[in-house]
Amino acid sequence: MRRVVNFFQEKMRGQHVTHESPSVLTQGLLSALNSDDKPLRFCSDRLKSLMQTLQIANAADFTPIMTIAEFVTLIGTYGRSTSFAVIFEPYHDRLRHIPDPVLHLACLDASLVMEDVFERFQTVVLTSGTISPLSFYSKILGFTPVVAKSFAMTLQRKCICPMIITKGPDQIIEDSCPFEWNELFLS
């Protein structure tokens, strides 16, 4: 695990947002470990087994290493798949001068998740205000709908403009709409 942590520490030192396939990340990790990909698939289970064997009472103290083990397990399992992407962001969106690296494993194919849903349940109802055209989503998600119904939407009535008001870190009230919008919709 020390070599895995060192690999990710080196990866997190980058200064630019990067996007790569899991296979590229897996190859880099395997070359750092001098290993094949089979042990990666069982990394999380092996760590849990080790912690149970050592009878570690406070598992919460090991959450960071468990998170890395779970990420490595996902990379080992889906490393050859084109349905995922690994995204590295070195800075927070709003605070670009403060390093806050984040490593994401993004699923690019929703049919992987929906496949399990369709297998587990006899009837699945999908509802949304944005699913359009209906046939497109059934192709993407890999299913044949038994019944598909679309309702026409009208915007004849006066719509609601949601506004979130909160206090910032300096306890000054901030709102999500510009001042002109507040006057327009609150009057």
Side-chain angles (χ1 to χ4, degrees):
M1 283 305 290
R2 166 76 59 198
R3 285 188 269 176
V4 171
V5 170
N6 289 341
F7 173 80
F8 282 113
Q9 282 179 335
E10 191 63 35
K11 194 83 170 154
M12 303 300 259
R13 286 194 178 107
Q15 299 298 315
H16 303 286
V17 175
T18 59
H19 168 274
E20 59 189 30
S21 69
S23 60
V24 172
L25 184 72
T26 303
Q27 290 305 317
L29 183 58
L30 292 177
S31 67
L33 296 176
N34 295 326
S35 178
D36 60 351
D37 63 344
K38 187 174 181 181
L40 298 181
R41 285 182 255 148
F42 303 105
C43 186
S44 179
D45 292 334
R46 287 180 178 175
L47 181 61
K48 287 176 187 173
S49 176
L50 176 65
M51 291 177 67
Q52 288 174 350
T53 302
L54 296 175
Q55 298 177 352
I56 295 174
N58 194 2
D61 293 341
F62 296 91
T63 301
I65 195 74
M66 291 171 69
T67 303
I68 291 172
E70 289 169 2
F71 189 83
V72 168
T73 301
L74 288 171
I75 291 294
T77 304
Y78 300 109
R80 294 193 175 113
S81 174
T82 58
S83 300
F84 291 88
V86 178
I87 303 167
F88 167 69
E89 297 175 295
Y91 298 102
H92 190 276
D93 291 342
R94 295 184 183 150
L95 306 170
R96 300 230 179 250
H97 60 284
I98 299 174
D100 185 22
V102 177
L103 197 60
H104 298 279
L105 180 63
C107 180
L108 307 176
D109 186 3
S111 67
L112 295 174
V113 176
M114 292 304 293
E115 183 179 314
D116 291 339
V117 172
F118 292 138
E119 286 177 7
R120 289 182 65 199
F121 300 100
Q122 182 179 359
T123 303
V124 177
V125 178
L126 300 176
T127 62
S128 175
T130 59
I131 294 180
S132 176
L134 293 177
S135 61
F136 178 71
Y137 283 92
S138 62
K139 288 179 187 175
I140 288 176
L141 297 178
F143 74 98
T144 304
V146 176
V147 176
K149 182 70 178 164
S150 179
F151 299 100
M153 285 188 58
T154 61
L155 297 176
Q156 300 289 331
R157 62 184 169 80
K158 194 172 185 177
C159 293
I160 298 172
C161 177
M163 183 169 56
I164 300 169
I165 300 174
T166 183
K167 291 183 180 179
D170 53 0
Q171 298 303 313
I172 295 176
I173 294 177
E174 300 173 351
D175 60 63
S176 63
C177 294
F179 184 73
E180 305 84 45
W181 283 54
N182 290 343
E183 288 180 357
L184 180 67
F185 288 106
L186 295 177
S187 56

